């Protein structure tokens, strides 16, 4: 999940207003542990999380037979300037 508290709050609020239950992980290692424990229907993964980035957390979740079927949507606040 998103590591920025304000961004995480917004995403969580929007999903809750639509009737979805959400769980939050502040970093990549926590996201992996939570995916194994709760086995959510969907993971929204920030790509730039502390401890372990979202790229590696996603790779590890997909490598685990117990969690590999969980769909993951990448979410990031990074923007790059194009010239």
């Amino acid at each position: 999940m998103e590591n920025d508290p304000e961004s995480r709050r917004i995403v969580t609020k929007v999903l809750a207003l639509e009737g979805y239950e959400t769980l939050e992980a502040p970093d990549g290692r926590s996201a992996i542990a939570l995916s194994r424990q709760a086995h959510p229907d969907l993971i929204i993964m920030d790509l730039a999380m502390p401890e372990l980035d979202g790229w590696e957390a996603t790779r590890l979740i997909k490598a685990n037979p117990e969690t590999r079927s969980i769909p993951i949507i990448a979410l990031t606040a990074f923007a790059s300037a194009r010239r």
Side-chain angles (χ1 to χ4, degrees):
M1 183 71 158
E2 173 69 40
N3 73 308
D4 175 65
E6 182 62 17
S7 296
R8 195 166 61 233
R9 185 189 67 76
I10 292 167
V11 171
T12 299
K13 186 171 185 167
V14 168
L15 291 172
L17 287 171
E18 293 297 321
Y20 294 98
E21 178 185 351
T22 62
L23 304 170
E24 299 178 42
D27 59 66
R29 292 192 196 290
S30 298
I32 292 168
L34 192 55
S35 72
R36 291 177 180 160
Q37 177 187 6
H39 206 278
D41 294 326
L42 173 70
I43 296 171
I44 300 175
M45 181 74 74
D46 184 2
L47 299 178
M49 292 192 295
E51 298 290 321
L52 187 70
D53 69 29
W55 295 100
E56 186 64 13
T58 296
R59 189 188 70 71
L60 292 170
I61 289 168
K62 291 300 185 178
N64 183 330
E66 295 178 16
T67 56
R68 74 169 42 133
S69 65
I70 302 171
I72 299 175
I73 296 174
L75 176 70
T76 187
F78 281 141
S80 62
R82 293 193 175 222
R83 296 178 184 216

